[in-house]
Amino acid sequence: MLLTILLLPLLGFISGLLFGKQLGRGVPIITTTLTSISFILSFVTLVDVIATGNSYIVLLKEWMYTDDLIVNWGFCFDSLTCVMIVVVTFISSLVHLYSTEYMENDPHLTRFMSYLSLFTFFMLILVTADNFLQMFVGWEGVGVSSYLLINFWFTRIQANKAAIKAMLVNRVGDFFLLLGMFTIYMNFGSLNYDVVFNSVYEVSNNISLFSIYEINSIDLICLFLFLGAMGKSAQIGLHTWLPDAMEGPTPVSALIHAATMVTAGVFLVCRCSYLFEQSPFVLSIVTVVGAMTAFFAATTGLFQNDMKKVIAYSTCSQLGYMVFACGLSSYDVGMFHLSNHAFF
């Protein structure tokens, strides 16, 4: 059942991509139904995890085996993941349903619905991964899907510009996330969450050489991870892609802003809370950046005339609140507001 949650949106994408012409108007029905079933299964899993207190690890197969680096295709279903998959699948189901009417007269409706399902699939890969490398696959997949969706009306120059801008700004964050993963491997010898989080105390006094400076390894890792999260979650400095992402169809804006791409950074910080708790220095940076983003974006939103840009800056501000809460070590509050914001 657990893997079915991930496979159903992928099946929707494949059906629209390969059989779009044959199925025609049946594609929106198929993709919406499959995503809705995925939500129901996600909700059942969440109830089970909360009721029993269990966490589920599904090891699919070995992926990489080089020297001492072993990476598996594995999926982790704990309380944090289950909350995220319920939010992602539910909001995605609503967006699929809304899109069937909103995009009804668009000649490329089947392609649009396929992209929505692909977006959902990669977001589920991101939140269910049990290691950093697999998470990065979902992280990049969400970026590619956002490019395809923002640039859906590719004959519009503004849509082209907005999609390229989103891609390039997120590349900055992705670069730092990669550096964080390299640093994690250098210090822990593994990219698996279990190994890394259980070995935090053993490497807490390690020193890494960054340029000509000697920095505590945990501080350096957390700094890189947070800079990576800043790109996806549109924190101040790397926020500029979010208002321009409004060039895509309205359902895309709803999906990106509510439950998928922008929440990935907050999820990453919450997932790596074991690391961040060992780095008060980086937590203070997280707090300041979150507070600055919340204030700056809300103030900027006051002076926008375009309704969609007002909502974009509002989203940016709310993400600032989530990051601010994480910076104060209130990860549960950050996740609560993430879910809360996805619905309103």
Side-chain angles (χ1 to χ4, degrees), residues 53-201:
N54 295 332
S55 295
Y56 299 100
I57 302 289
V58 181
L59 288 177
L60 204 56
K61 62 178 295 184
E62 195 175 84
W63 182 17
M64 292 185 186
Y65 195 155
T66 58
D67 194 24
D68 59 342
L69 175 62
I70 302 173
V71 180
N72 298 314
W73 280 108
F75 302 90
C76 169
F77 292 86
D78 57 8
S79 54
L80 176 61
T81 295
C82 289
V83 168
M84 283 298 294
I85 60 174
V86 166
V87 170
V88 170
T89 51
F90 181 64
I91 302 300
S92 184
S93 301
L94 294 182
V95 171
H96 274 77
L97 187 62
Y98 179 67
S99 299
T100 57
E101 290 293 323
Y102 185 87
M103 303 290 287
E104 186 179 15
N105 298 318
D106 194 292
H108 303 291
L109 174 63
T110 55
R111 179 164 61 91
F112 182 75
M113 300 305 290
S114 299
Y115 288 167
L116 285 182
S117 291
L118 182 67
F119 204 129
T120 308
F121 168 70
F122 275 125
M123 190 64 197
L124 290 174
I125 289 287
L126 191 158
V127 299
T128 57
D130 79 334
N131 61 76
F132 284 97
L133 194 59
Q134 189 177 322
M135 181 273 295
F136 192 70
V137 172
W139 190 275
E140 289 301 304
V142 168
V144 171
S145 304
S146 70
Y147 175 84
L148 295 172
L149 284 168
I150 295 168
N151 200 27
F152 178 72
W153 288 320
F154 53 81
T155 53
R156 297 171 55 184
I157 291 180
Q158 285 305 110
N160 300 156
K161 289 180 178 178
I164 292 170
K165 186 175 186 179
M167 184 66 83
L168 289 177
V169 172
N170 275 283
R171 287 295 74 74
V172 177
D174 297 348
F175 172 71
F176 284 109
L177 180 57
L178 271 175
L179 288 179
M181 288 166 57
F182 294 149
T183 314
I184 287 171
Y185 176 62
M186 285 170 57
N187 285 275
F188 293 92
S190 175
L191 292 174
N192 287 343
Y193 290 154
D194 287 345
V195 176
V196 173
F197 298 152
N198 289 322
S199 309
V200 170
Y201 296 108

Side-chain angles (χ1 to χ4, degrees), residues 41-52:
L41 296 176
S42 301
F43 188 75
V44 170
T45 307
L46 176 64
V47 171
D48 177 43
V49 167
I50 291 175
T52 63

Side-chain angles (χ1 to χ4, degrees), residues 126 226 287 341:
L126 191 158
F226 179 60
T287 307
H341 174 261

Side-chain angles (χ1 to χ4, degrees), residues 18-29:
L18 299 182
F19 308 108
K21 287 186 178 180
Q22 290 81 3
L23 294 171
R25 297 288 168 177
V27 171
I29 298 172

